[in-house]
Amino acid sequence: MKHQQALYLQEMGITRWQVRKPDLFPLSLNLCTIDLSHYKLLLVASTADFAHPLMPSILNAFNLKLSEVYCCSTDQFENLQGQLPELIWSTLGEINQPHGHKLLTSSTLVQLAADANAKKALWKQFCAFNQ
């Protein structure tokens, strides 16, 4: 079940079932059950973006440490279970925005490094959420 669908069920008061023997359902093995409670930023990006030399500078500007960021792909994001961090940043294009979360979108870090206007646009999005 996708994260957005799980939130709808939760808001309607519908209890989610827990599979006792997940080995019997091979498709359910792909679901991510990661505790995101100690992360401040969920980054939906490629591993190349996360490893880009510009990433530490951006996180420093956002006043975040690398250990406070969880990075995942778009598919992994869609299958995440549980509460998400308040701040979500996507470098892979538009994603389904969970209600009650702050969503930043930007181009890839390679493009950000080459385009000052793209960096400025990302910074404006971040500042708009922190006012």
Side-chain angles (χ1 to χ4, degrees), residues 38-119:
H38 67 279
Y39 293 104
K40 294 184 180 178
L41 171 68
L42 176 61
L43 176 62
V44 182
S46 66
T47 53
D49 277 348
F50 192 61
H52 194 277
L54 183 60
M55 182 58 73
S57 300
I58 292 173
L59 294 179
N60 189 35
F62 289 173
N63 200 21
L64 294 170
K65 298 175 186 162
L66 198 57
S67 61
E68 297 173 323
V69 178
Y70 181 77
C71 182
C72 65
S73 69
T74 305
D75 290 337
Q76 291 169 328
F77 170 75
E78 290 294 330
N79 291 315
L80 283 174
Q81 304 292 315
Q83 283 297 109
L84 299 177
E86 183 181 9
L87 186 61
I88 300 171
W89 173 23
S90 172
T91 65
L92 299 176
E94 293 294 320
I95 58 173
N96 292 330
Q97 179 180 357
H99 299 289
H101 295 275
K102 300 172 182 175
L103 178 63
L104 305 172
T105 56
S106 73
S107 51
T108 64
L109 264 69
V110 171
Q111 294 168 333
L112 279 176
D115 186 3
N117 289 329
K119 284 188 259 187

Side-chain angles (χ1 to χ4, degrees), residues 4-16:
Q4 192 72 26
Q5 294 167 334
L7 288 177
Y8 289 138
L9 292 176
Q10 181 181 350
E11 288 189 20
M12 291 188 295
I14 298 173
T15 305
R16 292 178 45 206

